[in-house]
Amino acid sequence: MEEAGLLNQTTLATYFRLRGLSVNQKVQLAAFAMFLIFYVLTLIGNILIVITIIYDNRLHTPMYFFLSNLSFIDVCHSTVTVPKMLIDTWSEEKLISFDVCVTQMFFLHLFACTEIFLLTVMAYDRYVAICKPLQYITVMNWKVCVLLAVALWTGGTIHSIALTSLTIKLPYCGPDEIDNFFCDVPQVIKLACTDTHIIEILIVSNSGLISVVCFVVLVVSYAVILVSLRQQISEGRRKALSTCAAHLTVVTLFLGHCIFIYSRPSTSIPEDKVVSVFFTTVTPLLNPIIYTLRNEDVKNALNKLIGRMEGKEKQ
């Protein structure tokens, strides 16, 4: 009876406390200013990419269709955690309700897993375009692109539901402080007043395995692409190498975090917060910079769009 009462009590958990980035007020204010700038630039950069791709008919190709999805995901992924972190800078307690915590975990893993699948699809798109150019239009037609987009969003949703449901079912009756600035499954399950060893194994076999397998597939794909590029003419090879370099940079930055966090037991180490900051605030900002600075088509279309907007303002 006592155990049943305890479990009933824990299912009614109302809030957790986020430890945040630092207890030092000066550090928090500096972090607020820096991450506010990062977040605004992330929104502007990624939204501009989406608008540019929609606006310019020359960018209505599979690669840019997936790139617009990536920019949309980056906006959503950053929005899941950064606004709450900025608000908590001015709060001493840094409380987050149980429902909001669960919602945050759900969307965090939805967008993160969807981006992993998207990066894998983008690697396949580049493989077909470079290694089988004559078959590209047939293989990567719009029907296939839409189906791949639906599949990767569906896969991300299933993954997120699975992880979030595992977390919700746990009883919480012990400490209520999360050693981070947002809710994530590894930190939250440590607060459960029960043995979470099996849950941790499921997390590693789910998130960790997805990250590692996709990373290996991506590295192998780009290795095959690089070998194929050795046989192409210099101009085509230069453009393809630029595109692949951009993709590999994004893959390394994003999947490096996922492998670091989700491929080991749920133990906190000082590097976790640094990696989490990079994952949630820096990577979504770097993506538009990487793709626009290394992609002449996007830069030209963006300049054309800006020029058109400036022309309208003068009128």
Side-chain angles (χ1 to χ4, degrees), residues 106 109-111 113-114 117 151-161:
F106 173 81
H109 283 271
L110 167 63
F111 296 127
C113 187
T114 302
F117 292 148
L152 62 92
W153 278 99
T154 302
T157 302
I158 294 173
H159 161 81
S160 185
I161 291 174

Side-chain angles (χ1 to χ4, degrees), residues 44 90 103 112 122 128 134 146 150 187 244-245 266 287 303 315:
I44 294 173
W90 306 99
T103 303
M122 291 174 73
V128 177
L134 297 180
V146 172
V150 171
Q187 288 84 28
C244 290
S266 302
N287 283 351
N303 289 333
Q315 293 177 358

Side-chain angles (χ1 to χ4, degrees), residues 243-259:
T243 302
C244 290
H247 288 199
L248 275 173
T249 303
V250 173
V251 165
T252 303
L253 291 174
F254 191 82
L255 283 178
H257 162 272
C258 296
I259 294 172

Side-chain angles (χ1 to χ4, degrees), residues 258-272:
C258 296
I259 294 172
F260 180 80
I261 295 294
Y262 302 112
S263 298
R264 59 184 174 83
S266 302
T267 54
S268 295
I269 59 177
E271 290 79 9
D272 283 351

Side-chain angles (χ1 to χ4, degrees), residues 192-266:
C193 53
T194 187
D195 184 11
T196 60
H197 181 67
I198 295 179
I199 303 296
E200 291 179 22
I201 294 175
L202 290 174
I203 292 173
V204 172
S205 62
N206 189 327
S207 297
L209 190 61
I210 288 174
S211 303
V212 172
V213 170
C214 287
F215 183 74
V216 171
V217 170
L218 286 162
V219 171
V220 171
S221 299
Y222 285 117
V224 172
I225 291 173
L226 291 175
V227 171
S228 176
L229 287 175
R230 296 175 60 183
Q231 304 173 356
Q232 296 191 11
I233 59 175
S234 58
E235 178 60 26
R237 181 169 55 190
R238 184 195 65 79
K239 185 174 181 180
L241 279 172
S242 177
T243 302
C244 290
H247 288 199
L248 275 173
T249 303
V250 173
V251 165
T252 303
L253 291 174
F254 191 82
L255 283 178
H257 162 272
C258 296
I259 294 172
F260 180 80
I261 295 294
Y262 302 112
S263 298
R264 59 184 174 83
S266 302

Side-chain angles (χ1 to χ4, degrees), residues 242-314:
S242 177
T243 302
C244 290
H247 288 199
L248 275 173
T249 303
V250 173
V251 165
T252 303
L253 291 174
F254 191 82
L255 283 178
H257 162 272
C258 296
I259 294 172
F260 180 80
I261 295 294
Y262 302 112
S263 298
R264 59 184 174 83
S266 302
T267 54
S268 295
I269 59 177
E271 290 79 9
D272 283 351
K273 287 185 182 180
V274 177
V275 175
S276 295
V277 166
F278 208 87
F279 176 62
T280 57
T281 62
V282 180
T283 302
L285 171 62
L286 289 179
N287 283 351
I289 296 175
I290 290 171
Y291 280 103
T292 54
L293 291 181
R294 302 189 63 90
N295 191 305
E296 291 296 329
D297 293 335
V298 175
K299 285 194 292 185
N300 293 336
L302 185 58
N303 289 333
K304 183 178 177 181
L305 176 63
I306 294 175
R308 177 70 64 88
M309 293 173 63
E310 290 178 346
K312 288 183 178 180
E313 289 181 357
K314 291 180 180 180

